[in-house]
Amino acid sequence: MMIVVMKTGASTKEISAVIARVKKLGYEAHLSDGEERTIIGVVGDGNIRAHQEQFELMEGVERTMPVSHPYKLASRDFHASNTLVPLNGGKVGDRKIAVIAGPCSVESRQQILETAHAMKEAGATALRGGAFKPRTSPYAFQGMGEEGLKYLAEAREQTGLPVVTEVMEPGLVPLVCDYADVLQIGARNMQNYALLHAVGKAQHTVLLKRGMSSTIEELLMAAEYILSHGNTRLMVCERGIRTFEKYTRNTFDINAVPVLKERTHLPVIADPSHATGHWQYVEAAARAAVAAGADGIIVEVHPNPEEAVSDGMQSLTFKRFEQMMQSLKRIAEAVDRSI
Amino acid sequence: MMIVVMKTGASTKEISAVIARVKKLGYEAHLSDGEERTIIGVVGDGNIRAHQEQFELMEGVERTMPVSHPYKLASRDFHASNTLVPLNGGKVGDRKIAVIAGPCSVESRQQILETAHAMKEAGATALRGGAFKPRTSPYAFQGMGEEGLKYLAEAREQTGLPVVTEVMEPGLVPLVCDYADVLQIGARNMQNYALLHAVGKAQHTVLLKRGMSSTIEELLMAAEYILSHGNTRLMVCERGIRTFEKYTRNTFDINAVPVLKERTHLPVIADPSHATGHWQYVEAAARAAVAAGADGIIVEVHPNPEEAVSDGMQSLTFKRFEQMMQSLKRIAEAVDRSI
Amino acid sequence: MMIVVMKTGASTKEISAVIARVKKLGYEAHLSDGEERTIIGVVGDGNIRAHQEQFELMEGVERTMPVSHPYKLASRDFHASNTLVPLNGGKVGDRKIAVIAGPCSVESRQQILETAHAMKEAGATALRGGAFKPRTSPYAFQGMGEEGLKYLAEAREQTGLPVVTEVMEPGLVPLVCDYADVLQIGARNMQNYALLHAVGKAQHTVLLKRGMSSTIEELLMAAEYILSHGNTRLMVCERGIRTFEKYTRNTFDINAVPVLKERTHLPVIADPSHATGHWQYVEAAARAAVAAGADGIIVEVHPNPEEAVSDGMQSLTFKRFEQMMQSLKRIAEAVDRSI
Amino acid sequence: MMIVVMKTGASTKEISAVIARVKKLGYEAHLSDGEERTIIGVVGDGNIRAHQEQFELMEGVERTMPVSHPYKLASRDFHASNTLVPLNGGKVGDRKIAVIAGPCSVESRQQILETAHAMKEAGATALRGGAFKPRTSPYAFQGMGEEGLKYLAEAREQTGLPVVTEVMEPGLVPLVCDYADVLQIGARNMQNYALLHAVGKAQHTVLLKRGMSSTIEELLMAAEYILSHGNTRLMVCERGIRTFEKYTRNTFDINAVPVLKERTHLPVIADPSHATGHWQYVEAAARAAVAAGADGIIVEVHPNPEEAVSDGMQSLTFKRFEQMMQSLKRIAEAVDRSI
């Protein structure tokens, strides 16, 4: 459904031309004549948005306004109840809140194994760690690659924690699927459509991060790409957006949590590490996420942030992570959930 | 303290000229010679920022970087412990979280009295209500003016709730002080310096809202204007910033809560109503604010939002407000506070 | 005119309630029944926007969409031909492009007189200079006040250049009118409504700057405040908006020039100094402004930017200003205008 | 080079630890002792940025400030004179301004051939047209794929115009190289590092578009990825950024033109079509781009925008394109260039 707003003083001929086009495309036209101007409702099945700009360019048309949302499979209108995504024996999207924790990058076998055991001990649901790293600079550490994946898999064997790791290109999806339990699509790749198609086809669990300047609607459209392959093991993640504020790395769009919970049936994860960029604020942001209704958090932890090759600034020590877990448990209970 | 970064290949003469200027202004110059370039540390007491651009324009200078923060009185460096602002027998900034609630606009005697009693009943700390309204359109309702202030004062007499209301121009500060307990500076006026001076001089309690595209630093600089008059009965308020996201009226910068708590001793209030713009998200945002460490919230409530002359979309009914209070109490306890 | 979009599955009762309210308010309701949902066109004279949120809160309503613009007097629909604002014997908005030039702040009698003569010589239309300065920091230079106004008036007497200067509070409008030809409303005060009313009533020429995070629509609504007092000697000014980009002080929204020229009859001025924040980019930005159709520019020039007490970074020397004027003349001719 | 700012009151032990780390990493440490605080300059060759966060996390450190830019090969410091990129017998980056024109999408053989002839006739330098289309919606037209590439190649044969077309995934780079003269990296893929590496290795001419919320620095870092493969046939393109303004599709960051010309030796292209999103504003934006110093523009033209399957709103008709070319010629001459 779409509305076509005619200009003040649009001629009968112009109005008729719009109506004719509406009918030609197989829709019905509903006319509202105001004193100022006329509007035409375009009603019917089909993807009328594909023709929106065409109507907007017709003589006498001021603008058009689509009425329905552009996403379908991701919408609660399409699927009312929460989609539950299996993870580590539980289900993300259910009462229990998932905690995915670990270092930004896998740096060594020792580092990831040590972290995995500490996360397990502290009650995490899954282990994160990057083997392929998207870096702003070509001169920065780009990740350990397959070697890193192997260490992650070893950490899973030792601890039982499922592994979440980023995949950056379609050609590497099969490799990463071999080692990882959850494929992460990073913020920079939220609209990398070839990659979205590839992970959709893989039928592997996916954690899809919001782009740093993407709207919530665009995030749901990116989810739609993956869902269109019938892959519903999908979680969406708010990780902070880019604004003018300089005291934090990103601005945590906490509103996105209730907005997403209202609009989509998919589990909503929050990333307080990237959303703030400074470890001092991570616990407060994580508490806020749980209080606002997030189904899980993904957080960066490092055995020794001062030595981290990436994201040290926003990484928690094991001790701070444990403290945060205690604090989050209390918040979870206050919203009738658990961790 | 400031750093002057010289260009690659800056001449000895250019470097000497910078050093000479530093000394002439009464500061010391500390030189660091790199292979690539030279930097000069400018050290000493005084407002070196006032000269920053002048240095930046000198021959051979690439850029300058101030080291210290531009605010002083608002900083925790200057005043380490929390400033406590008296309100309704309690102290904002202390363990108990303040809840300021009421309609966007005072619309009638009946409306404000009814709301005041309901807020009192539900446990609010103070009553909000606008008598002078900043409106984007000159054709929109501009508030009841002094008549509105009188109704607010009557509501206070009946309920004991202190009154928070906006003042929009320096000339009206004395009038508003006569009726109100707390003067609100709205987002649009955060950098209305004549008004900041006026409320600073008035020595009346002030609630200062962050501008919709102001940085946290600018908010603290605006606070500095008020503090510079010796008026420390001051609370700062995060109310959402303007971004590209369209599903909400503003983007609630939840990070601002821990950032402000770290940087300033002033109480930090959050406004989940303006920060979201839709009543459906207000409770989640309020929970997030308390979980993140806010000292209070200011929230819009209306006896009948469908009939509100302004901000109906983001106003809670009495019933929803009561539910939110129950929910906030649990979150407050989870962070060792109370409401 | 407004459109009310009902939710999928809205009941007949809910639809009837909306229609009843439309009629009660004195409007006509036009119904369009789609398969998915129903929309209701609200048609008639009057300020239906004032009721928009009320409709949006009714049971069964998904959202509302206003069809007409919120501004009237500022619109080309209301006044099709260019409004011409008299300045220095010419008319801003006509073929000849106005150049308003001078220092950020009046710093001394000598400085402003010297600048005025140089600007006159180089072909400027008017002299700018701040006597009352809005500064982020209370510790920064706040302007010379009335003394500065006197020097500006003296500069006008000596050179014949009309004076453009900022007024920051309603109480000072009469004083500034005594000395200045054009009252500037700064970006921070674009939504200082008391001030807009005051300059509207003063019937003095006004230069209204866009707020740093204001939309073009809000700028036109601010203009509407001034126009509502019958004061049409009004120019609007694009001066850069706040974004995430850090290499420049602001982001010059060059699109605003053709957008404003299309939507309003008021002259459109551009401020390449604030829009860039660095003198190196000012000439390129000024050329772009003229090429895009601006009716004038306002630019900061200083006899010695290295010694300027404010905005030295973005100030042109006299020599660079003269070069820019030569360059702008050629661009002006290329768009069939002159300087 | 980097500066480490110590906290007020940092201990001698903390300062020594920083210095020790600096030396351990092979750099020199230059100490500046202020009354308030101490700063340490880190001087030496090497990628000190890789350790920035590590220093920032040390005890007693307040923050760190890198002094040099993160890009090298893309910088004018590295390569002072303009890089000239061969295109259609001329050189982009030289005096003559390149005009790349054509439809958003290749829709049919007829459409692209007709457009190619019209563009050739009107004086364009190259033909644009998308065969692989990144679309927000999986339900929107995704491009004709290889068939589209074949039509583009045929258009080149008939007109002699080189072909510019987008490549969206590393696996398709060889295919697109077979048909196209210039590989376009779209805004959504500016930080698709696998793709940047692939086009770098391909040694094919590349047009790299700025991401919609990328900083100029990030654009140059993306360029650095391509340059790091020795591929210098590279143009960078400003195409509008995402802000809060709603009257245009994007905000054209015209400042980026002079900023890029100052910082990089690479040719700077502007895209007035995406930067505005409405054909009415395209000519004004294109004039602004040329006036500001762009080396070329890329613009969308369609034989019949009302029937375009994508971007019809921002496409020029042939006639409007011809008018724009006349207008741009005059602007080009006014800045001592030609088209």
Side-chain angles (χ1 to χ4, degrees):
Chain A
M1 192 164 188
M2 189 173 74
I3 289 153
V4 180
V5 179
M6 304 302 296
K7 283 180 184 157
T8 310
S11 70
T12 313
K13 197 177 151 198
E14 289 163 348
I15 294 168
S16 302
V18 170
I19 293 172
R21 183 170 219 148
V22 169
K23 289 183 176 161
K24 196 178 153 202
L25 290 166
Y27 296 84
E28 280 178 59
H30 291 241
L31 202 73
S32 285
D33 262 321
E35 292 184 25
E36 265 179 274
R37 62 181 91 216
T38 295
I39 62 168
I40 297 162
V42 182
V43 172
D45 281 342
N47 184 13
I48 188 66
R49 273 172 184 267
H51 304 282
Q52 186 182 352
E53 294 197 18
Q54 297 174 349
F55 279 101
E56 199 138 348
L57 285 162
M58 293 182 76
E59 295 290 321
V61 171
E62 185 167 300
R63 60 196 164 116
T64 62
M65 299 186 284
V67 169
S68 21
H69 302 306
Y71 46 86
K72 289 175 197 165
L73 307 175
S75 168
R76 279 223 189 255
D77 290 347
F78 175 81
H79 186 283
S81 62
N82 282 354
T83 284
L84 304 180
V85 174
L87 188 72
N88 194 11
K91 285 171 177 179
V92 189
D94 211 343
R95 195 176 165 284
K96 194 165 194 301
I97 290 166
V99 177
I100 304 167
C104 175
S105 302
V106 180
E107 296 171 10
S108 70
R109 180 171 174 276
Q110 155 71 12
Q111 172 237 26
I112 195 68
L113 293 180
E114 183 187 346
T115 307
H117 284 284
M119 296 304 94
K120 170 77 176 178
E121 192 70 27
T125 315
L127 177 69
R128 63 153 290 156
F132 298 97
K133 298 300 306 170
R135 303 302 299 274
T136 305
S137 167
Y139 310 121
F141 175 64
Q142 311 272 320
M144 295 187 81
E146 189 171 1
E147 191 184 355
L149 294 177
K150 285 180 179 166
Y151 297 150
L152 285 165
E154 189 178 349
R156 176 181 48 208
E157 275 169 51
Q158 292 191 12
T159 61
L161 291 180
V163 161
V164 180
T165 198
E166 180 161 357
V167 59
M168 286 169 59
E169 51 180 303
L172 291 176
V173 170
L175 177 74
V176 180
C177 283
D178 280 351
Y179 293 99
D181 300 274
V182 180
L183 305 175
Q184 179 181 308
I185 303 292
R188 292 174 177 85
N189 282 315
M190 194 201 85
Q191 294 189 316
N192 181 336
Y193 299 117
L195 185 60
L196 297 180
H197 279 304
V199 301
K201 283 178 196 156
Q203 303 296 335
H204 216 78
T205 304
V206 177
L207 176 76
L208 174 65
K209 288 195 155 188
R210 181 181 182 183
M212 73 176 74
S213 75
S214 298
T215 61
I216 295 171
E217 188 166 292
E218 287 167 343
L219 171 59
L220 293 176
M221 291 306 289
E224 196 84 6
Y225 266 87
I226 297 168
L227 294 168
S228 72
H229 291 281
N231 185 355
T232 58
R233 288 192 291 167
L234 175 57
M235 301 172 268
V236 291
C237 178
E238 158 61 29
R239 47 75 74 201
I241 58 173
R242 183 163 271 188
T243 71
F244 57 83
E245 175 55 48
K246 297 174 186 174
Y247 277 179
T248 47
R249 182 174 174 187
N250 289 293
T251 295
F252 185 15
D253 182 3
I254 189 80
N255 291 347
V257 175
V259 171
L260 282 166
K261 290 305 294 177
E262 181 188 67
R263 293 186 175 245
T264 188
H265 49 88
L266 298 169
V268 175
I269 309 297
D271 175 348
S273 307
H274 288 86
T276 59
H278 299 270
W279 67 264
Q280 303 98 301
Y281 311 134
V282 169
E283 185 183 317
R287 284 196 312 253
V290 172
D295 296 308
I297 61 164
I298 178 165
V299 62
E300 291 187 345
V301 186
H302 195 281
N304 187 0
E306 273 186 43
E307 303 290 341
V309 299
S310 57
D311 282 358
M313 283 281 290
Q314 66 194 36
S315 295
L316 298 180
T317 58
F318 294 168
K319 193 176 158 199
R320 286 193 189 109
F321 177 72
E322 287 157 27
Q323 285 168 352
M324 185 187 76
M325 287 295 278
Q326 295 314 312
S327 156
L328 290 186
K329 271 174 194 163
R330 296 176 66 189
I331 300 285
E333 280 161 27
V335 292
D336 294 324
R337 300 182 78 163
S338 65
I339 281 191
Chain B
M1 192 165 188
M2 189 173 73
I3 290 152
V4 179
V5 179
M6 303 302 295
K7 284 180 184 156
T8 310
S11 69
T12 314
K13 196 179 151 198
E14 289 163 349
I15 293 169
S16 302
V18 170
I19 293 172
R21 183 171 219 148
V22 168
K23 290 184 176 161
K24 196 179 152 203
L25 289 166
Y27 295 85
E28 282 178 60
H30 291 240
L31 201 73
S32 286
D33 262 321
E35 294 185 25
E36 263 178 277
R37 64 182 88 216
T38 296
I39 62 166
I40 298 161
V42 182
V43 172
D45 281 341
N47 185 12
I48 188 66
R49 274 173 184 264
H51 304 282
Q52 186 181 353
E53 295 197 17
Q54 297 174 349
F55 279 100
E56 199 137 348
L57 286 162
M58 293 181 77
E59 294 292 319
V61 170
E62 184 167 301
R63 61 197 162 113
T64 61
M65 300 186 282
V67 170
S68 22
H69 302 307
Y71 46 87
K72 289 175 197 164
L73 307 175
S75 168
R76 279 222 189 257
D77 290 347
F78 175 81
H79 187 284
S81 63
N82 282 355
T83 285
L84 305 180
V85 174
L87 188 72
N88 194 10
K91 285 171 178 181
V92 188
D94 212 343
R95 197 177 163 282
K96 192 164 194 299
I97 290 165
V99 177
I100 304 167
C104 174
S105 302
V106 180
E107 296 171 9
S108 70
R109 181 172 174 275
Q110 155 71 12
Q111 174 239 23
I112 196 68
L113 292 181
E114 184 187 346
T115 306
H117 284 285
M119 296 305 93
K120 170 77 177 180
E121 193 69 27
T125 315
L127 176 69
R128 62 153 290 156
F132 298 97
K133 298 299 306 171
R135 303 301 299 274
T136 306
S137 167
Y139 310 121
F141 175 64
Q142 310 273 320
M144 295 187 81
E146 189 171 0
E147 191 183 355
L149 294 177
K150 285 180 180 165
Y151 297 151
L152 285 166
E154 189 179 348
R156 176 181 49 208
E157 274 170 50
Q158 291 191 12
T159 61
L161 291 179
V163 160
V164 180
T165 199
E166 180 161 356
V167 59
M168 286 169 59
E169 51 181 302
L172 291 177
V173 170
L175 178 74
V176 180
C177 283
D178 281 350
Y179 293 100
D181 300 275
V182 181
L183 304 176
Q184 180 181 311
I185 302 292
R188 291 174 177 85
N189 282 315
M190 194 200 85
Q191 295 189 317
N192 181 338
Y193 299 118
L195 186 59
L196 297 180
H197 279 305
V199 301
K201 284 178 196 158
Q203 303 296 335
H204 216 78
T205 305
V206 177
L207 176 75
L208 174 66
K209 288 193 155 190
R210 180 181 182 183
M212 73 176 74
S213 75
S214 299
T215 61
I216 294 171
E217 188 165 293
E218 288 168 342
L219 171 60
L220 292 176
M221 291 305 288
E224 195 84 6
Y225 266 88
I226 296 169
L227 294 167
S228 71
H229 291 280
N231 184 355
T232 58
R233 289 191 291 166
L234 174 59
M235 302 172 267
V236 291
C237 178
E238 159 61 30
R239 47 74 74 198
I241 58 172
R242 185 163 270 188
T243 71
F244 57 82
E245 175 55 47
K246 296 174 186 172
Y247 278 180
T248 47
R249 183 174 173 187
N250 290 294
T251 295
F252 184 17
D253 182 2
I254 189 79
N255 291 348
V257 175
V259 171
L260 282 166
K261 290 306 294 177
E262 180 187 67
R263 293 186 175 245
T264 188
H265 50 87
L266 298 169
V268 175
I269 309 296
D271 175 347
S273 306
H274 288 86
T276 59
H278 298 271
W279 66 263
Q280 302 99 299
Y281 311 133
V282 169
E283 186 183 318
R287 284 196 311 253
V290 172
D295 297 307
I297 61 163
I298 179 166
V299 62
E300 290 188 345
V301 186
H302 194 282
N304 187 0
E306 274 187 41
E307 302 291 339
V309 299
S310 57
D311 281 358
M313 284 281 290
Q314 68 194 37
S315 296
L316 299 180
T317 58
F318 294 167
K319 194 177 159 196
R320 286 191 190 111
F321 177 72
E322 287 156 25
Q323 285 168 352
M324 185 188 75
M325 287 296 277
Q326 295 314 311
S327 156
L328 292 185
K329 272 174 193 161
R330 297 177 66 190
I331 300 284
E333 281 161 25
V335 291
D336 293 324
R337 299 182 78 163
S338 65
I339 280 190
Chain C
M1 193 163 186
M2 189 174 75
I3 289 153
V4 179
V5 179
M6 303 302 296
K7 285 181 183 156
T8 310
S11 70
T12 314
K13 197 178 152 197
E14 288 164 347
I15 294 169
S16 302
V18 170
I19 294 172
R21 183 169 218 150
V22 169
K23 290 184 177 161
K24 196 178 153 202
L25 290 166
Y27 295 86
E28 280 178 59
H30 291 241
L31 202 74
S32 285
D33 262 322
E35 293 184 26
E36 265 178 275
R37 63 182 90 216
T38 296
I39 62 167
I40 297 161
V42 182
V43 173
D45 282 341
N47 185 12
I48 188 65
R49 272 173 185 264
H51 304 282
Q52 186 181 353
E53 294 198 17
Q54 297 174 349
F55 279 102
E56 198 137 348
L57 286 163
M58 292 182 76
E59 295 290 321
V61 171
E62 183 166 301
R63 60 195 163 116
T64 61
M65 300 187 283
V67 170
S68 21
H69 302 307
Y71 47 86
K72 290 176 195 162
L73 306 175
S75 168
R76 278 223 190 258
D77 290 347
F78 175 81
H79 186 283
S81 62
N82 283 355
T83 285
L84 304 180
V85 174
L87 188 72
N88 195 10
K91 285 172 178 178
V92 188
D94 212 343
R95 196 176 164 284
K96 193 165 194 299
I97 290 164
V99 177
I100 304 166
C104 174
S105 302
V106 180
E107 296 170 9
S108 69
R109 183 172 172 275
Q110 156 71 11
Q111 172 238 25
I112 195 68
L113 293 181
E114 183 187 346
T115 307
H117 284 285
M119 296 303 94
K120 170 76 176 178
E121 193 70 27
T125 315
L127 176 69
R128 63 153 289 157
F132 297 97
K133 298 299 306 170
R135 302 302 298 277
T136 305
S137 168
Y139 310 121
F141 175 63
Q142 311 271 321
M144 296 187 80
E146 189 170 1
E147 190 183 356
L149 294 177
K150 284 180 180 166
Y151 297 151
L152 285 166
E154 188 178 350
R156 177 181 49 207
E157 273 169 51
Q158 292 191 12
T159 61
L161 290 179
V163 161
V164 180
T165 199
E166 180 160 357
V167 60
M168 286 169 60
E169 53 180 301
L172 291 176
V173 170
L175 177 75
V176 180
C177 282
D178 281 352
Y179 294 99
D181 299 275
V182 180
L183 305 176
Q184 179 181 309
I185 303 292
R188 292 175 177 85
N189 282 315
M190 195 201 86
Q191 294 188 317
N192 181 337
Y193 298 116
L195 186 59
L196 297 180
H197 279 305
V199 301
K201 283 177 195 158
Q203 303 296 334
H204 216 78
T205 304
V206 176
L207 177 75
L208 174 66
K209 288 194 154 188
R210 181 181 182 183
M212 73 177 74
S213 75
S214 298
T215 62
I216 295 172
E217 188 167 291
E218 288 167 343
L219 170 60
L220 293 176
M221 291 305 289
E224 196 84 5
Y225 266 88
I226 297 169
L227 293 168
S228 72
H229 291 281
N231 184 356
T232 59
R233 289 192 290 167
L234 175 58
M235 301 172 270
V236 291
C237 179
E238 158 62 29
R239 46 76 73 200
I241 58 173
R242 185 163 271 189
T243 71
F244 56 83
E245 175 54 48
K246 296 174 186 174
Y247 278 180
T248 47
R249 183 173 172 188
N250 290 293
T251 295
F252 185 15
D253 183 3
I254 190 79
N255 291 347
V257 175
V259 171
L260 282 166
K261 289 306 293 177
E262 180 188 67
R263 294 186 175 244
T264 187
H265 49 88
L266 299 168
V268 175
I269 309 297
D271 175 347
S273 306
H274 288 86
T276 59
H278 299 270
W279 66 264
Q280 303 99 300
Y281 311 134
V282 169
E283 185 183 317
R287 285 197 311 254
V290 171
D295 297 308
I297 60 164
I298 178 165
V299 62
E300 291 187 344
V301 186
H302 193 281
N304 186 1
E306 274 188 41
E307 303 290 340
V309 298
S310 56
D311 281 359
M313 284 281 290
Q314 67 195 36
S315 295
L316 300 179
T317 58
F318 294 167
K319 194 177 157 195
R320 285 190 191 111
F321 177 72
E322 286 156 28
Q323 286 168 352
M324 184 187 76
M325 287 295 278
Q326 296 314 312
S327 157
L328 292 185
K329 271 174 193 161
R330 296 176 67 189
I331 300 285
E333 280 161 26
V335 293
D336 294 324
R337 300 183 78 164
S338 65
I339 281 189
Chain D
M1 191 162 188
M2 189 174 73
I3 290 153
V4 179
V5 179
M6 303 302 294
K7 283 181 184 156
T8 310
S11 70
T12 313
K13 195 178 153 199
E14 289 164 348
I15 293 168
S16 302
V18 170
I19 293 172
R21 183 169 219 150
V22 168
K23 290 183 176 161
K24 196 178 153 203
L25 289 166
Y27 295 86
E28 280 179 59
H30 291 241
L31 202 74
S32 286
D33 261 322
E35 294 185 25
E36 263 178 276
R37 63 183 90 216
T38 296
I39 62 167
I40 298 160
V42 182
V43 172
D45 280 342
N47 185 12
I48 187 66
R49 273 173 184 266
H51 304 282
Q52 185 181 354
E53 294 197 18
Q54 297 174 348
F55 279 101
E56 199 137 349
L57 286 162
M58 292 182 76
E59 294 292 320
V61 171
E62 184 167 301
R63 61 197 163 114
T64 61
M65 300 186 283
V67 170
S68 22
H69 302 306
Y71 46 87
K72 290 175 194 164
L73 307 175
S75 167
R76 278 223 190 256
D77 290 347
F78 175 82
H79 186 283
S81 63
N82 283 354
T83 285
L84 303 180
V85 174
L87 188 71
N88 195 10
K91 286 173 177 177
V92 189
D94 211 342
R95 197 178 163 280
K96 194 165 193 301
I97 290 164
V99 177
I100 304 166
C104 174
S105 302
V106 181
E107 297 170 9
S108 71
R109 181 172 173 276
Q110 156 71 12
Q111 174 238 25
I112 196 66
L113 293 180
E114 184 187 345
T115 306
H117 284 284
M119 296 305 93
K120 170 77 176 178
E121 193 68 28
T125 316
L127 177 68
R128 62 153 289 156
F132 298 96
K133 299 298 306 170
R135 302 301 299 275
T136 306
S137 168
Y139 311 122
F141 175 65
Q142 310 272 320
M144 296 187 81
E146 188 170 2
E147 191 184 356
L149 294 176
K150 285 180 179 166
Y151 297 150
L152 285 165
E154 189 178 350
R156 176 180 49 207
E157 275 170 51
Q158 292 191 12
T159 61
L161 291 179
V163 160
V164 180
T165 199
E166 180 160 357
V167 58
M168 285 169 59
E169 52 181 302
L172 291 177
V173 170
L175 178 75
V176 180
C177 283
D178 281 351
Y179 294 99
D181 300 275
V182 180
L183 305 176
Q184 179 181 309
I185 303 292
R188 291 174 177 85
N189 282 314
M190 194 200 86
Q191 295 188 316
N192 182 336
Y193 299 117
L195 186 59
L196 297 180
H197 279 304
V199 301
K201 284 177 196 157
Q203 303 296 334
H204 215 79
T205 304
V206 177
L207 176 75
L208 173 66
K209 289 194 154 188
R210 180 182 182 182
M212 73 177 74
S213 75
S214 298
T215 61
I216 295 171
E217 188 166 292
E218 288 167 342
L219 171 59
L220 292 177
M221 291 306 288
E224 196 85 5
Y225 266 88
I226 297 168
L227 294 168
S228 71
H229 291 280
N231 185 355
T232 59
R233 288 192 291 166
L234 174 58
M235 301 172 268
V236 292
C237 178
E238 158 62 29
R239 47 73 74 200
I241 58 173
R242 185 162 270 188
T243 70
F244 57 82
E245 175 55 47
K246 296 173 186 173
Y247 278 179
T248 47
R249 184 174 172 186
N250 289 293
T251 295
F252 184 16
D253 183 3
I254 189 79
N255 291 347
V257 175
V259 171
L260 283 166
K261 290 305 294 177
E262 181 188 65
R263 293 185 176 245
T264 188
H265 49 87
L266 298 169
V268 176
I269 309 296
D271 176 347
S273 306
H274 288 86
T276 59
H278 299 270
W279 66 264
Q280 303 99 298
Y281 311 133
V282 169
E283 186 184 317
R287 284 196 312 254
V290 172
D295 296 308
I297 61 164
I298 179 165
V299 62
E300 291 188 344
V301 186
H302 194 279
N304 187 0
E306 274 186 43
E307 303 290 340
V309 299
S310 56
D311 282 359
M313 283 282 289
Q314 67 193 37
S315 296
L316 299 180
T317 58
F318 294 168
K319 195 176 156 197
R320 286 192 189 111
F321 177 72
E322 287 156 26
Q323 286 169 353
M324 185 187 76
M325 288 295 277
Q326 296 314 310
S327 157
L328 292 185
K329 271 173 194 161
R330 297 175 67 189
I331 300 285
E333 280 161 26
V335 292
D336 293 325
R337 300 183 78 165
S338 65
I339 281 189

